Amino acid sequence: MSAVGFKIPRPTAYQQAERHLERKRYFSFGLPGLVLVYLIYVTFALDVPGVFGRADPDNARTLVNDAYSYKTHVTVDYRRDQREVAAEGERKGVWPDGESPEWVELVGDMGAIVTLPDGHRVELDGRTMRYDVPGYGVIETESSRRGVDLSLPSGPQPEWISSSPARVSITTDSGRVIVTKAFTEVFRYSFGWELFWFTLDSPFYGKSLGELAGLAFSSERVVAGQSNFSAMMSDFWNNRMWRHGDVFWALFETLLMAFLGTMGAALVAFSLCFIAAKNFTPLQPLRLMVRRVFDFLRGVDALIWTIVLSRAFGPGPLTGALAILLTDAGSFGKMFSEALENVDNRQIEGVKSTGANAAQRSRFGVIPQVAPVFISQILYYLESNTRSATVIGAITGGGIGLLLTQAIITQKDWEEVSYYIVLVVMLVMFMDYLSGVLRRRLIKGD
Amino acid sequence: MRVMPAGANDSLQHQYLELVRRRRTYGGILLAVFVMLMVSGFMLADSRNAGGFWDGVLNIFDFPAEIFREAARDVANLPQYLLKFLPSLIETLNIAAASTILGAALAVLLALLSTRGLARWPQLIPLFRRTMDIMRAIPEIVIALVLIFVLGGGPVPAMIAITFHTAGALGKLFSEVNENASLNPVEGLQSVGSRWSQQMWLGVLPQVAPNYLSYGLLRFEINIRASAILGFVGSGGIGYDLKNAISWGQGRYDEVAAIFILIFAAIVFFDQLSSYFRNRLTGEAMV
């Protein structure tokens, strides 16, 4: 019997291990299973299939095309008796009278010959439009007060031509023509961002980089009373299409929000964190009170702070900065006081043994220990707040966030949206890099 | 007299004091620059703001007071409003949770592909790192607003936007964790002819899982805030309801009060919950 008695523990240990493994197996299969179940629930709770069903691929195409290309409109308006060549069809991009890109030949007062890529050619002559499509033939329309007459080469009407009595629209890979009772419009698509450097009214428009560099150093003045370089800069800075000056200011405002908010929060938290640390403030009620203040500031969150503050201060960078300041004062306060509670007492005692008073003990015993933690947290937040400031700017109305939302809401200035996105990403990556460099310098180098 | 040359000790002390003085001067200059930056920055921000700081600072409690007054007046309605907006809160939480999970899954992959010693294609490490940098740098609102144009309103654009950012942010943290993982299990698995995915799944992930989870929970906290904000500027969740409630204007601030309470409670609750679990996870990892 005793032999049996000895054998009992062995299977038990074995069983225990087995059970342990089984539990682990449950865990390693059960947890992913739960996650999967949750994701399936969320898929339906957030109506993901419905959203992708409703998605508009045309919008996506517009967005992508517009982000890297632009169209130039050649319009003949019959009601106003006017012929116009304009980038993106905007007033700011109108070519001066009698001037045009080299692919448009102006004919008389109301006519033009537009050369499109791949040998396509559109002739506008009064109310007549002739579009020569290689491999298909000549499409001719005659627009009048009664409607638009369309005559096509023989054969069925291809699907890239859509027509109704009042409107004809022809879309090819080379461009697009729209004819209505009131106007005929030809679009030609070009790669790039239109008029990014100089608008058409600037004397520097259309010059190559070499020519510009030559002009910058030449003494011959293009604009009287101004050196060429400063005229160039001012034309670029005040570009009406892209508003580089305003964009720069907006970007700077965003950075300002992040900087003021983060540093202000750090100052507030630093002056209060000693009260919230157990080893510096034995008085419990006071300590708990400050801690609750930190928790409250953090819990209310930037969203609510921004809304409340923008009621008092109106839109602008100050509101954003204060919202970041309040939220992060809570986060910093919590982190700082936790760091203070973890300081090594020996260093403080060492300083104390030299007869230092409380202020000196803090300065030489505590600060050197916590400074690296504080600084690295502050720098990390500075980078992350540059991103938050963009979002807060969109809510409160300041900085690049505002420009970005405005450009997106128009739903057509996607080239500007991509310009702003590039700038924001560059700014955030620069801040990331800067905070990394500063962290290494201030903490390790010293 | 002394055996040592009289100047030696003096000059050492002198040098030390000189060093201290120079350091103090540099510190002083740095401090002065910092104060100057803060003050001039504040003044600049003040001048570019619609309302000035000194005019506004006295009115700072007007809006909260108004909300509080209206909420107190209709205090009986409050529970009803809390219930009314609860589904939106759950939507916000769902956006945050789903994007944390999906983002973390993507981050695990990106992190493994960009850690030296573990990467499937070591030559492509810089590519994956830069990808993560860019994913981290694009603010969520940008992706959300662009996607709203393509996909229409609703919570999905916000979810995709937060997922994208989370993948970049967590990917960086995860790859830092991976660098400390022991390669022995990987080599063991390699020697029995396992595939890369098996080496990662069985050799690396069990080592790093607690740290991953801990970072993931921290991200979840951040994402709750982000999804509330995105709702406000885009659509979906409690943020959207908040925007609507505010635009109703005076007399309807009791709804605003209810939403404020819900957001505050949710943030505080999940902060506490996640810090509890994170303490347990890191405690476990230390044992």
Side-chain angles (χ1 to χ4, degrees), chain B residues 72-99:
Chain B
R73 194 191 58 208
D74 302 325
V75 76
N77 283 337
L78 208 55
Q80 172 204 331
Y81 284 139
L82 289 178
L83 269 182
K84 178 181 164 192
F85 293 114
L86 194 62
S88 319
L89 180 68
I90 291 173
E91 186 168 271
T92 294
L93 294 175
N94 274 337
I95 293 170
S99 48

PDB file of all heavy atoms in Angstrom, chain B residues 72-99:
ATOM      1  N   ALA B  72     -28.795  71.958 -13.211  1.00  0.00           N
ATOM      2  CA  ALA B  72     -29.407  71.939 -11.875  1.00  0.00           C
ATOM      3  C   ALA B  72     -30.913  72.194 -11.971  1.00  0.00           C
ATOM      4  O   ALA B  72     -31.704  71.603 -11.226  1.00  0.00           O
ATOM      5  CB  ALA B  72     -28.748  73.003 -10.997  1.00  0.00           C
ATOM      6  N   ARG B  73     -31.303  73.050 -12.925  1.00  0.00           N
ATOM      7  CA  ARG B  73     -32.708  73.365 -13.086  1.00  0.00           C
ATOM      8  C   ARG B  73     -33.494  72.115 -13.495  1.00  0.00           C
ATOM      9  O   ARG B  73     -34.569  71.848 -12.990  1.00  0.00           O
ATOM     10  CB  ARG B  73     -32.852  74.456 -14.159  1.00  0.00           C
ATOM     11  CG  ARG B  73     -34.205  75.136 -14.209  1.00  0.00           C
ATOM     12  CD  ARG B  73     -34.292  75.983 -15.459  1.00  0.00           C
ATOM     13  NE  ARG B  73     -34.077  75.171 -16.654  1.00  0.00           N
ATOM     14  CZ  ARG B  73     -33.568  75.633 -17.797  1.00  0.00           C
ATOM     15  NH1 ARG B  73     -33.179  76.879 -17.887  1.00  0.00           N
ATOM     16  NH2 ARG B  73     -33.427  74.838 -18.837  1.00  0.00           N
ATOM     17  N   ASP B  74     -32.936  71.361 -14.431  1.00  0.00           N
ATOM     18  CA  ASP B  74     -33.627  70.175 -14.930  1.00  0.00           C
ATOM     19  C   ASP B  74     -32.974  68.905 -14.415  1.00  0.00           C
ATOM     20  O   ASP B  74     -32.760  67.969 -15.172  1.00  0.00           O
ATOM     21  CB  ASP B  74     -33.588  70.140 -16.462  1.00  0.00           C
ATOM     22  CG  ASP B  74     -34.206  71.380 -17.053  1.00  0.00           C
ATOM     23  OD1 ASP B  74     -35.168  71.868 -16.460  1.00  0.00           O
ATOM     24  OD2 ASP B  74     -33.714  71.840 -18.087  1.00  0.00           O
ATOM     25  N   VAL B  75     -32.624  68.936 -13.154  1.00  0.00           N
ATOM     26  CA  VAL B  75     -31.850  67.792 -12.647  1.00  0.00           C
ATOM     27  C   VAL B  75     -32.626  66.482 -12.791  1.00  0.00           C
ATOM     28  O   VAL B  75     -32.053  65.415 -12.930  1.00  0.00           O
ATOM     29  CB  VAL B  75     -31.402  68.058 -11.191  1.00  0.00           C
ATOM     30  CG1 VAL B  75     -32.566  67.882 -10.237  1.00  0.00           C
ATOM     31  CG2 VAL B  75     -30.231  67.179 -10.814  1.00  0.00           C
ATOM     32  N   ALA B  76     -33.951  66.603 -12.831  1.00  0.00           N
ATOM     33  CA  ALA B  76     -34.763  65.388 -12.971  1.00  0.00           C
ATOM     34  C   ALA B  76     -34.581  64.756 -14.349  1.00  0.00           C
ATOM     35  O   ALA B  76     -34.734  63.550 -14.514  1.00  0.00           O
ATOM     36  CB  ALA B  76     -36.240  65.727 -12.741  1.00  0.00           C
ATOM     37  N   ASN B  77     -34.249  65.592 -15.340  1.00  0.00           N
ATOM     38  CA  ASN B  77     -34.075  65.071 -16.705  1.00  0.00           C
ATOM     39  C   ASN B  77     -32.737  64.385 -16.923  1.00  0.00           C
ATOM     40  O   ASN B  77     -32.550  63.686 -17.906  1.00  0.00           O
ATOM     41  CB  ASN B  77     -34.173  66.213 -17.724  1.00  0.00           C
ATOM     42  CG  ASN B  77     -35.602  66.623 -17.934  1.00  0.00           C
ATOM     43  OD1 ASN B  77     -36.504  65.838 -17.687  1.00  0.00           O
ATOM     44  ND2 ASN B  77     -35.803  67.848 -18.366  1.00  0.00           N
ATOM     45  N   LEU B  78     -31.809  64.656 -16.008  1.00  0.00           N
ATOM     46  CA  LEU B  78     -30.437  64.237 -16.227  1.00  0.00           C
ATOM     47  C   LEU B  78     -30.299  62.732 -16.471  1.00  0.00           C
ATOM     48  O   LEU B  78     -29.661  62.322 -17.448  1.00  0.00           O
ATOM     49  CB  LEU B  78     -29.576  64.700 -15.055  1.00  0.00           C
ATOM     50  CG  LEU B  78     -28.109  64.943 -15.393  1.00  0.00           C
ATOM     51  CD1 LEU B  78     -27.962  65.920 -16.535  1.00  0.00           C
ATOM     52  CD2 LEU B  78     -27.364  65.435 -14.171  1.00  0.00           C
ATOM     53  N   PRO B  79     -30.913  61.886 -15.596  1.00  0.00           N
ATOM     54  CA  PRO B  79     -30.781  60.439 -15.829  1.00  0.00           C
ATOM     55  C   PRO B  79     -31.280  60.033 -17.212  1.00  0.00           C
ATOM     56  O   PRO B  79     -30.665  59.203 -17.887  1.00  0.00           O
ATOM     57  CB  PRO B  79     -31.644  59.819 -14.733  1.00  0.00           C
ATOM     58  CG  PRO B  79     -31.760  60.857 -13.698  1.00  0.00           C
ATOM     59  CD  PRO B  79     -31.706  62.165 -14.399  1.00  0.00           C
ATOM     60  N   GLN B  80     -32.351  60.672 -17.621  1.00  0.00           N
ATOM     61  CA  GLN B  80     -32.922  60.356 -18.932  1.00  0.00           C
ATOM     62  C   GLN B  80     -31.933  60.711 -20.056  1.00  0.00           C
ATOM     63  O   GLN B  80     -31.733  59.949 -20.996  1.00  0.00           O
ATOM     64  CB  GLN B  80     -34.220  61.148 -19.060  1.00  0.00           C
ATOM     65  CG  GLN B  80     -34.877  61.112 -20.402  1.00  0.00           C
ATOM     66  CD  GLN B  80     -35.754  62.342 -20.583  1.00  0.00           C
ATOM     67  OE1 GLN B  80     -36.283  62.904 -19.605  1.00  0.00           O
ATOM     68  NE2 GLN B  80     -35.883  62.775 -21.817  1.00  0.00           N
ATOM     69  N   TYR B  81     -31.280  61.868 -19.908  1.00  0.00           N
ATOM     70  CA  TYR B  81     -30.300  62.264 -20.913  1.00  0.00           C
ATOM     71  C   TYR B  81     -29.081  61.346 -20.888  1.00  0.00           C
ATOM     72  O   TYR B  81     -28.517  61.019 -21.928  1.00  0.00           O
ATOM     73  CB  TYR B  81     -29.854  63.710 -20.687  1.00  0.00           C
ATOM     74  CG  TYR B  81     -30.872  64.726 -21.130  1.00  0.00           C
ATOM     75  CD1 TYR B  81     -31.129  65.856 -20.376  1.00  0.00           C
ATOM     76  CD2 TYR B  81     -31.560  64.553 -22.323  1.00  0.00           C
ATOM     77  CE1 TYR B  81     -32.054  66.786 -20.779  1.00  0.00           C
ATOM     78  CE2 TYR B  81     -32.485  65.474 -22.736  1.00  0.00           C
ATOM     79  CZ  TYR B  81     -32.733  66.585 -21.959  1.00  0.00           C
ATOM     80  OH  TYR B  81     -33.652  67.504 -22.381  1.00  0.00           O
ATOM     81  N   LEU B  82     -28.678  60.974 -19.672  1.00  0.00           N
ATOM     82  CA  LEU B  82     -27.523  60.072 -19.575  1.00  0.00           C
ATOM     83  C   LEU B  82     -27.815  58.798 -20.350  1.00  0.00           C
ATOM     84  O   LEU B  82     -26.969  58.289 -21.087  1.00  0.00           O
ATOM     85  CB  LEU B  82     -27.208  59.753 -18.110  1.00  0.00           C
ATOM     86  CG  LEU B  82     -26.626  60.889 -17.280  1.00  0.00           C
ATOM     87  CD1 LEU B  82     -26.410  60.430 -15.854  1.00  0.00           C
ATOM     88  CD2 LEU B  82     -25.315  61.368 -17.868  1.00  0.00           C
ATOM     89  N   LEU B  83     -29.047  58.286 -20.184  1.00  0.00           N
ATOM     90  CA  LEU B  83     -29.436  57.070 -20.898  1.00  0.00           C
ATOM     91  C   LEU B  83     -29.489  57.310 -22.397  1.00  0.00           C
ATOM     92  O   LEU B  83     -29.099  56.470 -23.198  1.00  0.00           O
ATOM     93  CB  LEU B  83     -30.810  56.599 -20.411  1.00  0.00           C
ATOM     94  CG  LEU B  83     -30.784  55.613 -19.258  1.00  0.00           C
ATOM     95  CD1 LEU B  83     -32.205  55.193 -18.927  1.00  0.00           C
ATOM     96  CD2 LEU B  83     -29.946  54.394 -19.606  1.00  0.00           C
ATOM     97  N   LYS B  84     -29.971  58.509 -22.762  1.00  0.00           N
ATOM     98  CA  LYS B  84     -30.140  58.818 -24.174  1.00  0.00           C
ATOM     99  C   LYS B  84     -28.801  58.811 -24.907  1.00  0.00           C
ATOM    100  O   LYS B  84     -28.710  58.374 -26.053  1.00  0.00           O
ATOM    101  CB  LYS B  84     -30.804  60.188 -24.291  1.00  0.00           C
ATOM    102  CG  LYS B  84     -30.993  60.667 -25.721  1.00  0.00           C
ATOM    103  CD  LYS B  84     -31.647  62.041 -25.740  1.00  0.00           C
ATOM    104  CE  LYS B  84     -31.483  62.689 -27.095  1.00  0.00           C
ATOM    105  NZ  LYS B  84     -31.834  64.105 -27.086  1.00  0.00           N
ATOM    106  N   PHE B  85     -27.755  59.330 -24.230  1.00  0.00           N
ATOM    107  CA  PHE B  85     -26.471  59.428 -24.904  1.00  0.00           C
ATOM    108  C   PHE B  85     -25.561  58.236 -24.647  1.00  0.00           C
ATOM    109  O   PHE B  85     -24.458  58.190 -25.173  1.00  0.00           O
ATOM    110  CB  PHE B  85     -25.766  60.730 -24.516  1.00  0.00           C
ATOM    111  CG  PHE B  85     -26.475  61.937 -25.031  1.00  0.00           C
ATOM    112  CD1 PHE B  85     -27.063  62.845 -24.169  1.00  0.00           C
ATOM    113  CD2 PHE B  85     -26.589  62.144 -26.402  1.00  0.00           C
ATOM    114  CE1 PHE B  85     -27.738  63.950 -24.660  1.00  0.00           C
ATOM    115  CE2 PHE B  85     -27.263  63.239 -26.885  1.00  0.00           C
ATOM    116  CZ  PHE B  85     -27.842  64.145 -26.025  1.00  0.00           C
ATOM    117  N   LEU B  86     -26.027  57.283 -23.840  1.00  0.00           N
ATOM    118  CA  LEU B  86     -25.186  56.123 -23.541  1.00  0.00           C
ATOM    119  C   LEU B  86     -24.799  55.356 -24.810  1.00  0.00           C
ATOM    120  O   LEU B  86     -23.639  54.967 -24.960  1.00  0.00           O
ATOM    121  CB  LEU B  86     -25.888  55.213 -22.527  1.00  0.00           C
ATOM    122  CG  LEU B  86     -24.985  54.167 -21.892  1.00  0.00           C
ATOM    123  CD1 LEU B  86     -23.872  54.833 -21.108  1.00  0.00           C
ATOM    124  CD2 LEU B  86     -25.778  53.246 -20.988  1.00  0.00           C
ATOM    125  N   PRO B  87     -25.735  55.115 -25.749  1.00  0.00           N
ATOM    126  CA  PRO B  87     -25.337  54.399 -26.968  1.00  0.00           C
ATOM    127  C   PRO B  87     -24.212  55.106 -27.721  1.00  0.00           C
ATOM    128  O   PRO B  87     -23.313  54.445 -28.252  1.00  0.00           O
ATOM    129  CB  PRO B  87     -26.625  54.385 -27.802  1.00  0.00           C
ATOM    130  CG  PRO B  87     -27.712  54.512 -26.824  1.00  0.00           C
ATOM    131  CD  PRO B  87     -27.189  55.359 -25.707  1.00  0.00           C
ATOM    132  N   SER B  88     -24.250  56.444 -27.756  1.00  0.00           N
ATOM    133  CA  SER B  88     -23.163  57.158 -28.444  1.00  0.00           C
ATOM    134  C   SER B  88     -21.847  56.962 -27.721  1.00  0.00           C
ATOM    135  O   SER B  88     -20.795  56.837 -28.354  1.00  0.00           O
ATOM    136  CB  SER B  88     -23.442  58.651 -28.511  1.00  0.00           C
ATOM    137  OG  SER B  88     -24.768  58.883 -28.811  1.00  0.00           O
ATOM    138  N   LEU B  89     -21.923  56.949 -26.383  1.00  0.00           N
ATOM    139  CA  LEU B  89     -20.696  56.724 -25.625  1.00  0.00           C
ATOM    140  C   LEU B  89     -20.133  55.346 -25.958  1.00  0.00           C
ATOM    141  O   LEU B  89     -18.922  55.181 -26.162  1.00  0.00           O
ATOM    142  CB  LEU B  89     -20.971  56.840 -24.127  1.00  0.00           C
ATOM    143  CG  LEU B  89     -19.745  56.616 -23.247  1.00  0.00           C
ATOM    144  CD1 LEU B  89     -18.756  57.752 -23.416  1.00  0.00           C
ATOM    145  CD2 LEU B  89     -20.124  56.466 -21.800  1.00  0.00           C
ATOM    146  N   ILE B  90     -21.047  54.357 -26.024  1.00  0.00           N
ATOM    147  CA  ILE B  90     -20.588  53.004 -26.349  1.00  0.00           C
ATOM    148  C   ILE B  90     -19.974  52.979 -27.742  1.00  0.00           C
ATOM    149  O   ILE B  90     -18.959  52.318 -27.970  1.00  0.00           O
ATOM    150  CB  ILE B  90     -21.764  52.005 -26.225  1.00  0.00           C
ATOM    151  CG1 ILE B  90     -22.144  51.877 -24.754  1.00  0.00           C
ATOM    152  CG2 ILE B  90     -21.393  50.652 -26.801  1.00  0.00           C
ATOM    153  CD1 ILE B  90     -23.377  51.066 -24.496  1.00  0.00           C
ATOM    154  N   GLU B  91     -20.550  53.754 -28.651  1.00  0.00           N
ATOM    155  CA  GLU B  91     -19.965  53.809 -29.994  1.00  0.00           C
ATOM    156  C   GLU B  91     -18.549  54.376 -29.939  1.00  0.00           C
ATOM    157  O   GLU B  91     -17.628  53.833 -30.551  1.00  0.00           O
ATOM    158  CB  GLU B  91     -20.843  54.669 -30.905  1.00  0.00           C
ATOM    159  CG  GLU B  91     -20.380  54.658 -32.339  1.00  0.00           C
ATOM    160  CD  GLU B  91     -21.424  55.267 -33.272  1.00  0.00           C
ATOM    161  OE1 GLU B  91     -22.281  54.508 -33.735  1.00  0.00           O
ATOM    162  OE2 GLU B  91     -21.363  56.471 -33.511  1.00  0.00           O
ATOM    163  N   THR B  92     -18.387  55.474 -29.170  1.00  0.00           N
ATOM    164  CA  THR B  92     -17.052  56.048 -29.018  1.00  0.00           C
ATOM    165  C   THR B  92     -16.075  55.037 -28.443  1.00  0.00           C
ATOM    166  O   THR B  92     -14.949  54.899 -28.924  1.00  0.00           O
ATOM    167  CB  THR B  92     -17.133  57.293 -28.105  1.00  0.00           C
ATOM    168  OG1 THR B  92     -17.878  58.294 -28.773  1.00  0.00           O
ATOM    169  CG2 THR B  92     -15.771  57.823 -27.765  1.00  0.00           C
ATOM    170  N   LEU B  93     -16.529  54.298 -27.411  1.00  0.00           N
ATOM    171  CA  LEU B  93     -15.656  53.298 -26.792  1.00  0.00           C
ATOM    172  C   LEU B  93     -15.343  52.180 -27.780  1.00  0.00           C
ATOM    173  O   LEU B  93     -14.220  51.670 -27.820  1.00  0.00           O
ATOM    174  CB  LEU B  93     -16.309  52.727 -25.535  1.00  0.00           C
ATOM    175  CG  LEU B  93     -16.481  53.725 -24.388  1.00  0.00           C
ATOM    176  CD1 LEU B  93     -17.241  53.084 -23.242  1.00  0.00           C
ATOM    177  CD2 LEU B  93     -15.138  54.222 -23.900  1.00  0.00           C
ATOM    178  N   ASN B  94     -16.345  51.797 -28.582  1.00  0.00           N
ATOM    179  CA  ASN B  94     -16.117  50.752 -29.582  1.00  0.00           C
ATOM    180  C   ASN B  94     -15.097  51.183 -30.616  1.00  0.00           C
ATOM    181  O   ASN B  94     -14.247  50.391 -31.028  1.00  0.00           O
ATOM    182  CB  ASN B  94     -17.431  50.392 -30.287  1.00  0.00           C
ATOM    183  CG  ASN B  94     -18.210  49.351 -29.517  1.00  0.00           C
ATOM    184  OD1 ASN B  94     -17.639  48.594 -28.731  1.00  0.00           O
ATOM    185  ND2 ASN B  94     -19.506  49.307 -29.722  1.00  0.00           N
ATOM    186  N   ILE B  95     -15.213  52.452 -31.040  1.00  0.00           N
ATOM    187  CA  ILE B  95     -14.228  52.966 -32.001  1.00  0.00           C
ATOM    188  C   ILE B  95     -12.831  52.850 -31.398  1.00  0.00           C
ATOM    189  O   ILE B  95     -11.895  52.355 -32.038  1.00  0.00           O
ATOM    190  CB  ILE B  95     -14.525  54.438 -32.356  1.00  0.00           C
ATOM    191  CG1 ILE B  95     -15.830  54.560 -33.122  1.00  0.00           C
ATOM    192  CG2 ILE B  95     -13.388  55.040 -33.159  1.00  0.00           C
ATOM    193  CD1 ILE B  95     -16.304  55.985 -33.303  1.00  0.00           C
ATOM    194  N   ALA B  96     -12.720  53.285 -30.138  1.00  0.00           N
ATOM    195  CA  ALA B  96     -11.410  53.268 -29.487  1.00  0.00           C
ATOM    196  C   ALA B  96     -10.893  51.842 -29.350  1.00  0.00           C
ATOM    197  O   ALA B  96      -9.733  51.559 -29.666  1.00  0.00           O
ATOM    198  CB  ALA B  96     -11.495  53.941 -28.127  1.00  0.00           C
ATOM    199  N   ALA B  97     -11.751  50.931 -28.905  1.00  0.00           N
ATOM    200  CA  ALA B  97     -11.306  49.559 -28.653  1.00  0.00           C
ATOM    201  C   ALA B  97     -10.941  48.866 -29.958  1.00  0.00           C
ATOM    202  O   ALA B  97      -9.876  48.243 -30.062  1.00  0.00           O
ATOM    203  CB  ALA B  97     -12.400  48.785 -27.931  1.00  0.00           C
ATOM    204  N   ALA B  98     -11.803  48.988 -30.950  1.00  0.00           N
ATOM    205  CA  ALA B  98     -11.537  48.300 -32.219  1.00  0.00           C
ATOM    206  C   ALA B  98     -10.261  48.832 -32.853  1.00  0.00           C
ATOM    207  O   ALA B  98      -9.435  48.056 -33.344  1.00  0.00           O
ATOM    208  CB  ALA B  98     -12.709  48.482 -33.171  1.00  0.00           C
ATOM    209  N   SER B  99     -10.090  50.170 -32.807  1.00  0.00           N
ATOM    210  CA  SER B  99      -8.891  50.695 -33.461  1.00  0.00           C
ATOM    211  C   SER B  99      -7.649  50.351 -32.655  1.00  0.00           C
ATOM    212  O   SER B  99      -6.571  50.200 -33.241  1.00  0.00           O
ATOM    213  CB  SER B  99      -9.001  52.195 -33.688  1.00  0.00           C
ATOM    214  OG  SER B  99      -9.414  52.841 -32.539  1.00  0.00           O
TER     215      SER B  99
END
